[in-house]
């Protein structure tokens, strides 16, 4: 596994490419998680002007958040760090 950072070039988090992923956005962002091979990974989102982020996973996986509420992005050229832990068919996210 590559443990360095991998900059996303589209809307897909390909877990087979690494454990830390970075992306910048100024609009709403919908990311797809696929090729899940590791037990954990991190996505760092730099939000330049605002927007929201959502995550979906390729079957059989399902993304879950604490309290079933996805976090919101920090705006104003800030970054948010999302950490995911894989257990069974669930990918549990924290921010």
């Amino acid at each position: 596994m590559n443990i360095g950072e991998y900059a996303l070039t589209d809307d897909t988090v390909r877990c087979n490419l690494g454990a830390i992923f970075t992306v910048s956005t100024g609009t709403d962002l919908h990311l797809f998680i696929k090729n899940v091979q590791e037990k954990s990974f991190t996505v760092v989102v730099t939000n330049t002007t605002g927007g929201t982020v959502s995550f979906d996973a390729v079957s059989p996986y399902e993304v879950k958040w604490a309290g079933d509420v996805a976090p919101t992005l920090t705006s104003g050229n800030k970054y948010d760090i999302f950490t995911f832990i894989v257990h069974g068919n669930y990918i549990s996210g924290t921010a």
Side-chain angles (χ1 to χ4, degrees), residues 38-62:
E38 300 302 321
K39 293 296 181 185
S40 66
F41 59 94
T42 301
V43 178
V44 180
V45 178
T46 302
N47 189 7
T48 57
T49 59
T52 62
V53 65
S54 59
F55 294 89
D56 276 325
V58 174
S59 182
Y61 297 101
E62 180 181 353

Side-chain angles (χ1 to χ4, degrees), residues 68-84:
D68 289 326
V69 177
T72 58
L73 286 176
T74 306
S75 62
N77 211 25
K78 307 278 182 173
Y79 64 90
D80 293 280
I81 300 171
F82 300 93
T83 301
F84 297 90

Side-chain angles (χ1 to χ4, degrees), residues 8-70:
L8 297 181
T9 56
D10 57 20
D11 64 354
T12 304
V13 178
R14 293 173 181 84
C15 294
N16 59 312
L17 296 178
I20 302 171
F21 302 89
T22 59
V23 63
S24 294
T25 186
T27 62
D28 293 341
L29 181 64
H30 187 89
L31 296 175
F32 296 94
I33 301 168
K34 64 187 281 188
N35 300 336
V36 176
Q37 298 176 349
E38 300 302 321
K39 293 296 181 185
S40 66
F41 59 94
T42 301
V43 178
V44 180
V45 178
T46 302
N47 189 7
T48 57
T49 59
T52 62
V53 65
S54 59
F55 294 89
D56 276 325
V58 174
S59 182
Y61 297 101
E62 180 181 353
V63 177
K64 292 290 210 178
W65 299 98
D68 289 326
V69 177

